[in-house]
Amino acid sequence: VGQGCGQPAPVHGSPTYSSGMVLYQQRSAPFPPEPLVVPTAETGRRASQLLGSPGVQRLARGLWVLRDEPLTAVERAVLLQRHLCRPESGLLVSGLHGLELLRLPVGGSEAWVQDVLARPHRSRGPRQGAFSASSLNAANHCVELLWTGHRAQSKQEGVRIAMSHGLPSLVGPWGSRVAHPLEMLSRMSTVLSPWRITACLDALLSTRFVIPGTSRPVQFTREQLEESLDQLPPAARGVIRLRRAWRDARSPCWSAAETLTRLIIARHDLPEPSLNHQVTIAGRTFFLDLAWPGARTAVEYNGGVHAREVSQYRDEMYRLSLLRDAGWDVSVLTWDDLRSPTRRMTWLSRIQRGLGRPHRAL
């Protein structure tokens, strides 16, 4: 999920216009053909004989998948949704694997992020809601399903079944059903780093989703998400954390790194930037990650793809030269610029100067 405790993984796609708003259009992603699932009795062999047999993968106690390749965690979650319990239970894929199907930027975090984003008046010592890599790892190894019709239970190892709060579900691969992303986030918000929750909400507001194995795009408006959020139990711990992150959610925001950069800027009491601000220069249209148009000051975050792909690097350099010739002061950041205290203060001070604000300690 994501990239563990390192940099945020990008969501592949491109900008697209929808109802006057610029959304990030996810590219279609392949999903393998659905394998055959059979109970032990139909194989003609005992479970002990099937374990380790070629062409057979164990799905759960009493259920087997006829395929040579081992199942991924997401494939297992989808198959369990389709084959575990009675059909009338209306199971939904949930948890981290459901969020992964939407390609939301869930993942780990690093200790420095929480230290930078924490307010100074907070007491030292263990912090409420502190990110735990072990909790995230445990959630990643557990399949979570939600029942919507008749109550469903399971004693299968590594499977958890809980009650859905009735938010609309989505169509997933192999004809599966996936829980509403806000319902999944409310349940996972107790194991996700707070800034990651905000990054997921930014993505929900800013993305036109195409779930792997499906072709129909899905998008959410702020009004739709607020209405769905109101349907969740307000006193639940996960919902409280989700609502706290919702106050910080913005759009259009197209990567978790943009979210983190924006939160760092806000933490240092600098004016809130415009996100993915559109600029046209010499007949070319650009989207600046974070910009203060009045001061012609901007911040661009460059992920690993800019270093790996020469053509994209060259285009980026030409784009920056056009912007700077047009009077824009553009700071280009990498992950190290966010993480290093010295480098972080350098670009924050540069923004402060670009905005014409009196010098003060950041």
Side-chain angles (χ1 to χ4, degrees), residues 211-254:
I211 296 177
T214 70
S215 58
R216 185 177 180 179
V218 178
Q219 65 187 66
F220 303 92
T221 65
R222 182 175 288 272
E223 292 73 21
Q224 289 171 337
L225 292 173
E226 286 178 343
E227 182 179 341
S228 297
L229 190 55
D230 288 340
Q231 296 178 45
L232 296 173
R237 184 163 59 111
V239 177
I240 292 172
R241 295 194 75 198
L242 186 60
R243 282 192 172 278
R244 190 179 301 129
W246 177 254
R247 294 196 294 267
D248 292 329
R250 302 289 186 271
S251 64
C253 182
W254 300 335

Side-chain angles (χ1 to χ4, degrees), residues 282-305:
R284 294 189 60 179
T285 297
F286 309 123
F287 293 92
L288 298 171
D289 293 346
L290 302 98
W292 295 263
R296 285 188 171 266
T297 297
V299 169
E300 286 278 277
Y301 181 86
N302 280 2
V305 66

Side-chain angles (χ1 to χ4, degrees), residues 109-327:
S109 190
E110 296 179 2
W112 67 265
V113 176
Q114 190 155 284
D115 291 336
V116 169
L117 297 181
R119 290 292 172 180
H121 67 267
R122 292 182 181 177
S123 60
R124 294 292 179 183
R127 287 154 292 188
Q128 185 177 6
F131 168 73
S132 166
S134 59
S135 296
L136 182 65
N137 185 59
N140 196 33
H141 284 84
C142 177
V143 170
E144 179 173 281
L145 305 171
L146 304 180
W147 59 269
T148 61
H150 295 283
R151 183 182 181 89
Q153 294 179 313
S154 175
K155 295 183 179 179
Q156 297 280 0
E157 183 180 355
V159 177
R160 180 184 180 187
I161 302 180
M163 182 185 72
S164 167
H165 292 292
L167 297 187
S169 61
L170 308 174
V171 177
W174 300 339
S176 62
R177 302 297 302 185
V178 182
H180 191 284
L182 284 188
E183 184 153 35
M184 292 189 285
L185 276 174
S186 70
R187 299 187 62 82
M188 290 295 102
S189 65
T190 55
V191 301
L192 293 175
S193 177
W195 79 268
R196 284 283 187 177
I197 305 170
T198 301
C200 289
L201 293 173
D202 284 355
L204 285 178
L205 288 167
S206 311
T207 308
R208 202 162 182 244
F209 298 94
V210 181
I211 296 177
T214 70
S215 58
R216 185 177 180 179
V218 178
Q219 65 187 66
F220 303 92
T221 65
R222 182 175 288 272
E223 292 73 21
Q224 289 171 337
L225 292 173
E226 286 178 343
E227 182 179 341
S228 297
L229 190 55
D230 288 340
Q231 296 178 45
L232 296 173
R237 184 163 59 111
V239 177
I240 292 172
R241 295 194 75 198
L242 186 60
R243 282 192 172 278
R244 190 179 301 129
W246 177 254
R247 294 196 294 267
D248 292 329
R250 302 289 186 271
S251 64
C253 182
W254 300 335
S255 78
E258 290 177 24
T259 297
L260 180 55
T261 304
R262 174 174 61 82
L263 293 176
I264 291 173
I265 289 170
R267 169 63 189 83
H268 289 84
D269 298 321
L270 291 171
E272 186 164 329
S274 297
L275 303 180
N276 286 290
H277 177 71
Q278 185 174 331
V279 177
T280 300
I281 301 173
R284 294 189 60 179
T285 297
F286 309 123
F287 293 92
L288 298 171
D289 293 346
L290 302 98
W292 295 263
R296 285 188 171 266
T297 297
V299 169
E300 286 278 277
Y301 181 86
N302 280 2
V305 66
H306 295 83
R308 292 191 300 268
E309 298 186 12
V310 175
S311 61
Q312 186 157 345
Y313 170 78
R314 289 171 176 167
D315 186 70
E316 177 78 0
M317 294 302 101
Y318 177 63
R319 186 171 79 106
L320 288 172
S321 67
L322 290 177
L323 287 164
R324 287 166 176 162
D325 287 345

Side-chain angles (χ1 to χ4, degrees), residues 87-106:
E88 60 269 24
S89 63
L91 293 180
L92 305 174
V93 179
S94 184
L96 290 180
H97 304 121
L99 295 171
E100 188 176 347
L101 280 170
L102 284 166
R103 288 176 278 174
L104 288 174
V106 293

